[in-house]
Every structure is written in structure tokens, then in C-alpha cells.
Amino acid sequence: LARVSLSPIKILYESLLTFNADIIHDLKTPITTIALNAAMLDQTSAKPIGRILSSIDTLKDLYANLETYLRTGEHLKPDEIMLKNLIMTQIEHYRTLYPEVMYEVSGEELTLRCDQISILRIIDNIIVNAIKYGGYPHPRVTITIGSHWLSIKDNGPGIENVEQIFNRYHQNSFYTKGFGLGLNIVRTLSKRLNISITVISHDDTGSTFILDLTSIMKR
């Protein structure tokens, strides 16, 4: 009886250990990059500085994902969220970090009711993936807000093995810039909020992530 009673705690604890291992694994690469490039700063080159800033941004994303994931066992208080306003605020942040990307946002305002940090991490991880893997040399991210859905599209080379992209550490042959953790976070948080995600991808024309937001729309 005691073993049965403690089983949920054991599962949660093992899940936490696994995720902590994931974070440690993913933090190693950007930290190493920062250290190596910092040693090159005396060469007065802008490239090492750019790589340092990019790695710092990666660390911030990993921390945000960790913070959100660790809140799994908490009671999440629903917030009232203006989706388009949230996205436009993030776009201004992206313009600073990725000025070479063209951003297109369309659709009317949509009011949601859910945990704001969770929905922000879902949207942010998908958009950042679209930014990083957009079509070179003119990457473009197209965001469309529908009556009960959100679409995020890039103009990159497409995704092989779409059914595997939400697996931890998975990296597509085209998608090699990340650590394979962001979309796994997306899947975890989407299940928590009961958001279904459809991925449509075609070679050389890009990929589209469609989020069904019906379950978190304000009634």
C-alpha cells in the first residue's frame, strides 16, 4: 500500500532528475562557447562578441524552460491574455536579437485564459525555432491568428521526420542549430494546457505549426 501511495512521487522525482540531466547537458555547449570566445576578444573582432551574445540568449531560454517545467506540480492560476499583444511584444524582442529576419503578423486580437508563462514558452519556443531555421539569406516568420487557432510559419528547408521533432534531443538533418529540447518543452506544456499542435512541412518551402487554442479561449 505504501509503495502504491508513493508511486506518483517517485514518478515525479524521476522525471525531475531526467529533466535536470537534460538541462545540464544543454547548458554545457553555450557555456563553453562563451568561455572560448571571451578568450578571443583581444582580436577586436565582432564575430566572437556576436557568438557570446547568442549563447547568452540561449542560456536565458534554457533557464525560462527550466523554470516553467519545474512548475508542473503547481496549481496554475489562469491569466487573461491578449494573444496578439503578447506576440507583438515578443516580436520587438526578436527584432533586437535577430534583425535580419522579416516578421509578418496578421489576424484579430484573441483573448485567452490560461497560465501566461506556459503559453509564452510554447509560442516563444516555436517562433525562435522558426527564426533560427528560416530560409537563408532572407529568413521570414509569418504568424497568423485565427478565430481559435495560431499559425507560425517559416520559409526554411522543411522538416524530415515530422513525427519525431517533439522528442527530446531530436535534431533533424536540416535542423541542427538547437539542442533538441525546446520542442519537447512545447509538447509537455501543450499537453498541460490541452492544446493540440499540427505540423505541416514541405521541402524547400518551410514548415507551419498550427496550435488549436479552443481549450484556453476566454468563454
Coordinates of all heavy atoms in Angstrom, one line a residue, residues 116-178:
Q116 N 0.0 32.3 -18.2 CA 0.7 33.1 -19.1 C 2.1 32.6 -19.4 O 2.5 32.6 -20.6 CB 0.7 34.6 -18.7 CG 1.5 35.5 -19.7 CD 1.2 36.9 -19.4 OE1 0.1 37.3 -19.1 NE2 2.3 37.7 -19.5
I117 N 2.8 32.2 -18.4 CA 4.2 31.7 -18.6 C 4.2 30.5 -19.5 O 5.1 30.4 -20.4 CB 4.9 31.4 -17.2 CG1 5.0 32.7 -16.4 CG2 6.2 30.8 -17.5 CD1 5.6 32.5 -15.0
S118 N 3.3 29.6 -19.3 CA 3.2 28.4 -20.1 C 3.0 28.7 -21.6 O 3.7 28.2 -22.5 CB 2.2 27.4 -19.6 OG 2.5 26.9 -18.3
I119 N 1.9 29.5 -21.8 CA 1.6 29.8 -23.2 C 2.7 30.6 -23.9 O 3.0 30.4 -25.1 CB 0.3 30.5 -23.4 CG1 -0.2 30.6 -24.8 CG2 0.3 31.9 -22.8 CD1 -0.5 29.3 -25.5
L120 N 3.4 31.4 -23.1 CA 4.5 32.2 -23.6 C 5.7 31.3 -24.0 O 6.3 31.5 -25.1 CB 5.0 33.3 -22.6 CG 6.2 34.1 -23.0 CD1 5.9 34.9 -24.3 CD2 6.6 35.1 -21.9
R121 N 6.0 30.3 -23.2 CA 7.1 29.4 -23.5 C 6.7 28.6 -24.8 O 7.6 28.3 -25.6 CB 7.4 28.5 -22.3 CG 7.9 29.1 -21.1 CD 9.0 30.1 -21.4 NE 10.1 29.6 -22.2 CZ 10.9 30.3 -22.9 NH1 10.7 31.6 -23.0 NH2 11.9 29.8 -23.6
I122 N 5.5 28.2 -24.9 CA 5.1 27.4 -26.1 C 5.3 28.2 -27.3 O 6.0 27.8 -28.3 CB 3.6 27.0 -26.0 CG1 3.4 25.9 -24.9 CG2 3.1 26.4 -27.3 CD1 2.0 25.6 -24.6
I123 N 4.8 29.5 -27.3 CA 4.8 30.3 -28.5 C 6.3 30.7 -28.8 O 6.8 30.7 -29.9 CB 4.0 31.6 -28.3 CG1 2.5 31.1 -28.3 CG2 4.2 32.6 -29.5 CD1 1.5 32.3 -27.9
D124 N 7.0 31.1 -27.7 CA 8.4 31.6 -27.9 C 9.3 30.5 -28.5 O 10.1 30.7 -29.4 CB 8.9 32.0 -26.5 CG 10.3 32.7 -26.7 OD1 10.3 33.8 -27.2 OD2 11.3 32.2 -26.2
N125 N 9.2 29.2 -28.0 CA 10.0 28.2 -28.5 C 9.7 27.9 -30.0 O 10.7 27.6 -30.7 CB 9.8 26.9 -27.7 CG 10.6 26.8 -26.4 OD1 11.8 27.2 -26.4 ND2 10.0 26.4 -25.3
I126 N 8.5 27.9 -30.4 CA 8.1 27.7 -31.8 C 8.6 28.8 -32.7 O 9.2 28.6 -33.7 CB 6.6 27.5 -31.9 CG1 6.2 26.2 -31.2 CG2 6.3 27.4 -33.4 CD1 4.7 26.0 -31.3
I127 N 8.4 30.1 -32.2 CA 8.9 31.2 -33.0 C 10.4 31.2 -33.1 O 10.9 31.5 -34.2 CB 8.3 32.5 -32.5 CG1 6.8 32.6 -32.6 CG2 9.0 33.7 -33.2 CD1 6.2 33.9 -32.0
V128 N 11.1 31.0 -32.0 CA 12.6 31.0 -32.1 C 13.1 29.9 -33.0 O 14.0 30.1 -33.8 CB 13.1 30.9 -30.7 CG1 14.6 30.6 -30.7 CG2 12.9 32.1 -29.8
N129 N 12.4 28.8 -33.0 CA 12.8 27.7 -34.0 C 12.6 28.2 -35.4 O 13.4 27.9 -36.3 CB 12.0 26.4 -33.7 CG 12.7 25.5 -32.7 OD1 13.6 24.7 -33.1 ND2 12.3 25.6 -31.5
A130 N 11.5 28.8 -35.7 CA 11.2 29.4 -37.0 C 12.2 30.4 -37.4 O 12.6 30.5 -38.6 CB 9.8 30.0 -37.0
I131 N 12.6 31.2 -36.4 CA 13.6 32.2 -36.7 C 15.0 31.6 -37.1 O 15.6 31.9 -38.1 CB 13.8 33.2 -35.5 CG1 12.6 34.1 -35.4 CG2 15.1 34.0 -35.7 CD1 12.6 34.9 -34.1
K132 N 15.4 30.7 -36.3 CA 16.7 30.1 -36.4 C 16.8 29.2 -37.7 O 17.9 29.1 -38.3 CB 17.1 29.2 -35.2 CG 17.3 30.1 -34.0 CD 17.7 29.2 -32.8 CE 18.0 30.1 -31.5 NZ 18.4 29.2 -30.4
Y133 N 15.7 28.6 -38.1 CA 15.8 27.7 -39.2 C 15.0 28.3 -40.5 O 14.5 27.5 -41.3 CB 15.2 26.4 -38.8 CG 15.9 25.8 -37.6 CD1 15.1 25.6 -36.4 CD2 17.3 25.7 -37.5 CE1 15.8 25.1 -35.3 CE2 17.9 25.2 -36.4 CZ 17.1 25.0 -35.3 OH 17.8 24.5 -34.1
G134 N 14.9 29.6 -40.5 CA 14.2 30.2 -41.7 C 15.1 30.2 -42.9 O 16.3 29.8 -42.8
G135 N 14.6 30.5 -44.0 CA 15.3 30.5 -45.3 C 16.4 31.4 -45.4 O 16.3 32.6 -45.2
Y136 N 17.6 30.9 -45.7 CA 18.8 31.8 -45.8 C 18.9 32.3 -47.3 O 18.6 31.5 -48.2 CB 20.1 31.0 -45.5 CG 21.3 31.8 -45.6 CD1 21.8 32.6 -44.6 CD2 22.1 31.7 -46.8 CE1 23.0 33.3 -44.8 CE2 23.2 32.4 -47.0 CZ 23.7 33.2 -46.0 OH 24.8 33.9 -46.1
P137 N 19.2 33.5 -47.6 CA 19.7 34.6 -46.6 C 18.6 35.5 -46.2 O 18.9 36.6 -45.6 CB 20.7 35.3 -47.5 CG 20.1 35.3 -48.9 CD 19.4 33.9 -49.0
H138 N 17.3 35.2 -46.5 CA 16.2 36.1 -46.2 C 15.1 35.4 -45.3 O 14.1 35.0 -45.8 CB 15.6 36.7 -47.4 CG 16.5 37.4 -48.3 ND1 17.2 38.6 -47.9 CD2 17.0 37.1 -49.5 CE1 18.0 39.0 -48.9 NE2 17.9 38.1 -49.9
P139 N 15.5 35.1 -44.1 CA 14.5 34.3 -43.2 C 13.2 35.1 -43.0 O 13.3 36.4 -42.8 CB 15.3 34.1 -41.9 CG 16.3 35.2 -41.9 CD 16.7 35.4 -43.3
R140 N 12.1 34.4 -43.0 CA 10.8 35.1 -42.7 C 10.0 34.2 -41.8 O 9.9 33.0 -42.0 CB 10.1 35.3 -44.1 CG 8.8 36.1 -43.9 CD 8.1 36.4 -45.3 NE 7.7 35.2 -46.0 CZ 8.4 34.6 -47.0 NH1 9.5 35.2 -47.5 NH2 7.9 33.5 -47.6
V141 N 9.3 34.9 -40.9 CA 8.4 34.2 -40.0 C 7.0 34.8 -40.1 O 6.9 36.1 -40.0 CB 8.9 34.3 -38.5 CG1 7.8 33.7 -37.6 CG2 10.2 33.7 -38.3
T142 N 6.1 34.0 -40.5 CA 4.7 34.5 -40.7 C 3.8 34.0 -39.6 O 3.6 32.7 -39.5 CB 4.2 34.0 -42.1 OG1 5.1 34.5 -43.1 CG2 2.8 34.6 -42.3
I143 N 3.2 34.9 -38.9 CA 2.3 34.5 -37.7 C 0.9 34.9 -38.0 O 0.6 36.1 -38.3 CB 2.8 35.1 -36.4 CG1 4.3 34.7 -36.2 CG2 1.9 34.8 -35.3 CD1 4.9 35.4 -35.0
T144 N -0.1 34.0 -38.0 CA -1.5 34.3 -38.2 C -2.3 33.9 -37.1 O -2.2 32.7 -36.6 CB -1.9 33.6 -39.5 OG1 -1.0 33.9 -40.6 CG2 -3.3 34.0 -39.9
I145 N -3.2 34.8 -36.6 CA -4.1 34.5 -35.5 C -5.5 34.3 -36.1 O -6.0 35.2 -36.8 CB -4.2 35.6 -34.5 CG1 -2.8 35.9 -33.9 CG2 -5.2 35.3 -33.4 CD1 -2.7 37.1 -33.1
G146 N -6.1 33.1 -35.9 CA -7.4 32.8 -36.4 C -8.5 32.9 -35.3 O -8.2 33.4 -34.2
S147 N -9.7 32.4 -35.6 CA -10.8 32.5 -34.7 C -10.5 31.7 -33.4 O -11.0 32.1 -32.3 CB -12.1 32.0 -35.3 OG -11.9 30.7 -35.8
H148 N -9.8 30.6 -33.5 CA -9.5 29.8 -32.3 C -8.1 29.1 -32.5 O -7.9 28.0 -31.9 CB -10.6 28.7 -32.1 CG -10.7 27.7 -33.3 ND1 -11.4 28.0 -34.4 CD2 -10.2 26.5 -33.5 CE1 -11.3 27.0 -35.3 NE2 -10.6 26.1 -34.7
W149 N -7.3 29.6 -33.3 CA -6.0 28.9 -33.6 C -4.9 30.0 -33.9 O -5.2 31.1 -34.1 CB -6.1 28.0 -34.8 CG -6.8 28.6 -36.0 CD1 -8.1 28.6 -36.4 CD2 -6.1 29.3 -37.1 NE1 -8.3 29.3 -37.5 CE2 -7.1 29.7 -38.0 CE3 -4.8 29.7 -37.3 CZ2 -6.8 30.5 -39.1 CZ3 -4.5 30.4 -38.4 CH2 -5.5 30.8 -39.3
L150 N -3.7 29.5 -33.8 CA -2.5 30.3 -34.1 C -1.6 29.5 -35.0 O -1.3 28.3 -34.8 CB -1.7 30.6 -32.8 CG -0.4 31.3 -32.9 CD1 -0.6 32.7 -33.4 CD2 0.3 31.3 -31.6
S151 N -1.1 30.2 -36.1 CA -0.3 29.5 -37.0 C 1.1 30.3 -37.1 O 1.1 31.5 -37.1 CB -0.9 29.6 -38.4 OG 0.0 29.2 -39.4
I152 N 2.2 29.5 -37.0 CA 3.5 30.1 -37.1 C 4.3 29.3 -38.2 O 4.5 28.1 -38.1 CB 4.3 29.9 -35.7 CG1 3.5 30.5 -34.6 CG2 5.7 30.4 -35.8 CD1 4.0 30.2 -33.2
K153 N 4.7 30.1 -39.2 CA 5.3 29.5 -40.4 C 6.7 30.1 -40.7 O 6.9 31.3 -40.5 CB 4.4 29.7 -41.6 CG 4.9 29.1 -42.9 CD 3.9 29.4 -44.1 CE 4.3 28.6 -45.3 NZ 5.8 28.8 -45.7
D154 N 7.6 29.3 -41.1 CA 8.9 29.7 -41.5 C 9.1 29.5 -43.0 O 8.2 28.8 -43.6 CB 10.1 29.1 -40.7 CG 10.1 27.6 -40.9 OD1 10.3 27.2 -42.1 OD2 10.1 26.8 -40.0
N155 N 10.1 30.0 -43.6 CA 10.4 29.8 -45.0 C 11.7 29.0 -45.2 O 12.4 29.1 -46.2 CB 10.5 31.1 -45.8 CG 11.7 31.9 -45.4 OD1 12.1 31.8 -44.2 ND2 12.2 32.8 -46.2
G156 N 11.9 28.0 -44.3 CA 13.1 27.2 -44.3 C 13.1 26.0 -45.2 O 12.1 25.9 -46.0
P157 N 14.0 25.1 -45.1 CA 14.1 24.0 -46.0 C 13.1 22.8 -45.7 O 13.1 21.9 -46.4 CB 15.5 23.5 -45.7 CG 15.8 23.8 -44.3 CD 15.1 25.1 -44.1
G158 N 12.3 23.0 -44.6 CA 11.4 21.9 -44.3 C 11.9 20.9 -43.3 O 13.1 21.0 -42.9
I159 N 11.1 20.1 -42.8 CA 11.5 19.1 -41.7 C 11.4 17.7 -42.2 O 10.3 17.3 -42.7 CB 10.6 19.3 -40.5 CG1 10.6 20.8 -40.0 CG2 11.0 18.4 -39.3 CD1 9.6 21.0 -38.9
E160 N 12.4 16.9 -41.9 CA 12.3 15.5 -42.1 C 11.8 14.9 -40.8 O 12.1 15.4 -39.8 CB 13.7 14.9 -42.5 CG 14.3 15.3 -43.8 CD 15.6 14.7 -44.1 OE1 16.2 14.2 -43.1 OE2 16.1 14.7 -45.2
N161 N 11.1 13.8 -40.9 CA 10.6 13.0 -39.8 C 9.8 14.0 -38.8 O 10.2 14.1 -37.6 CB 11.8 12.4 -39.0 CG 12.6 11.5 -39.9 OD1 12.0 10.7 -40.7 ND2 13.9 11.5 -39.8
V162 N 8.8 14.6 -39.3 CA 8.0 15.5 -38.5 C 7.5 14.8 -37.2 O 7.4 15.5 -36.2 CB 6.8 16.0 -39.3 CG1 5.8 16.7 -38.4 CG2 7.2 16.9 -40.5
E163 N 7.2 13.6 -37.3 CA 6.6 12.9 -36.1 C 7.6 12.8 -35.0 O 7.3 12.5 -33.8 CB 6.1 11.5 -36.5 CG 7.2 10.5 -36.9 CD 7.7 10.7 -38.4 OE1 7.1 11.6 -39.1 OE2 8.6 9.9 -38.8
Q164 N 8.9 13.0 -35.2 CA 9.9 12.9 -34.2 C 10.4 14.2 -33.6 O 11.2 14.2 -32.6 CB 11.1 12.1 -34.8 CG 10.8 10.7 -35.2 CD 12.1 10.0 -35.7 OE1 13.2 10.3 -35.4 NE2 11.9 9.0 -36.6
I165 N 10.0 15.3 -34.1 CA 10.6 16.6 -33.7 C 10.3 17.0 -32.3 O 11.1 17.8 -31.7 CB 10.2 17.7 -34.7 CG1 8.7 17.9 -34.6 CG2 10.7 17.5 -36.1 CD1 8.2 19.2 -35.4
F166 N 9.3 16.4 -31.7 CA 9.0 16.7 -30.3 C 9.7 15.8 -29.3 O 9.6 16.0 -28.1 CB 7.5 16.7 -30.0 CG 6.7 17.7 -30.8 CD1 6.0 17.4 -31.9 CD2 6.7 19.0 -30.3 CE1 5.3 18.4 -32.6 CE2 6.0 20.0 -31.0 CZ 5.3 19.7 -32.1
N167 N 10.5 14.9 -29.8 CA 11.2 14.0 -28.9 C 12.5 14.7 -28.4 O 13.1 15.5 -29.1 CB 11.7 12.8 -29.7 CG 10.5 11.9 -30.1 OD1 9.4 12.0 -29.6 ND2 10.8 11.0 -31.1
R168 N 12.8 14.4 -27.2 CA 13.9 15.1 -26.5 C 15.2 14.7 -27.3 O 15.5 13.6 -27.7 CB 14.0 14.6 -25.1 CG 14.9 15.5 -24.2 CD 14.7 15.1 -22.7 NE 15.2 13.8 -22.4 CZ 14.4 12.9 -21.8 NH1 13.2 13.2 -21.5 NH2 14.8 11.7 -21.6
Y169 N 16.0 15.8 -27.5 CA 17.3 15.7 -28.2 C 17.2 15.4 -29.7 O 18.3 15.3 -30.4 CB 18.2 14.6 -27.6 CG 18.6 14.8 -26.2 CD1 18.8 13.8 -25.3 CD2 18.8 16.1 -25.7 CE1 19.2 14.0 -24.0 CE2 19.2 16.3 -24.3 CZ 19.3 15.2 -23.5 OH 19.7 15.4 -22.2
H170 N 16.0 15.3 -30.2 CA 15.9 15.0 -31.7 C 16.4 16.2 -32.5 O 16.0 17.4 -32.2 CB 14.5 14.7 -32.1 CG 14.4 14.5 -33.6 ND1 14.8 13.4 -34.2 CD2 13.9 15.3 -34.5 CE1 14.6 13.5 -35.5 NE2 14.0 14.7 -35.7
Q171 N 17.3 16.0 -33.5 CA 17.7 17.0 -34.4 C 17.6 16.5 -35.8 O 18.2 15.5 -36.1 CB 19.2 17.4 -34.1 CG 19.4 18.2 -32.8 CD 20.8 18.6 -32.6 OE1 21.7 18.0 -33.0 NE2 20.9 19.8 -31.9
N172 N 16.8 17.3 -36.6 CA 16.7 16.9 -38.0 C 18.0 17.2 -38.7 O 18.7 18.1 -38.3 CB 15.5 17.7 -38.5 CG 15.0 17.2 -39.8 OD1 15.5 17.4 -40.9 ND2 13.9 16.4 -39.7
S173 N 18.2 16.6 -39.9 CA 19.4 16.9 -40.6 C 19.4 18.3 -41.1 O 20.4 18.9 -41.3 CB 19.4 15.9 -41.9 OG 18.3 16.1 -42.7
F174 N 18.2 18.9 -41.3 CA 18.1 20.3 -41.7 C 18.2 21.2 -40.4 O 18.7 22.3 -40.4 CB 16.8 20.6 -42.4 CG 16.7 20.0 -43.8 CD1 15.5 19.5 -44.2 CD2 17.8 20.0 -44.6 CE1 15.4 18.9 -45.5 CE2 17.7 19.4 -45.9 CZ 16.5 18.9 -46.3
Y175 N 17.7 20.7 -39.3 CA 17.6 21.4 -38.1 C 18.7 21.0 -37.1 O 18.5 20.2 -36.3 CB 16.2 21.2 -37.4 CG 15.1 21.9 -38.1 CD1 14.8 21.7 -39.5 CD2 14.3 22.9 -37.4 CE1 13.8 22.3 -40.1 CE2 13.3 23.5 -38.1 CZ 13.0 23.3 -39.4 OH 12.0 23.9 -40.0
T176 N 19.8 21.7 -37.2 CA 21.0 21.3 -36.4 C 21.5 22.4 -35.5 O 22.5 22.2 -34.9 CB 22.1 20.8 -37.4 OG1 22.5 21.9 -38.3 CG2 21.7 19.6 -38.2
K177 N 20.8 23.5 -35.4 CA 21.3 24.6 -34.7 C 20.9 24.6 -33.2 O 21.5 25.3 -32.4 CB 20.8 25.9 -35.3 CG 21.3 26.2 -36.7 CD 20.8 27.5 -37.2 CE 21.2 27.8 -38.6 NZ 20.7 29.1 -39.2
G178 N 19.9 23.8 -32.8 CA 19.5 23.8 -31.5 C 20.0 22.5 -30.7 O 20.9 21.8 -31.2

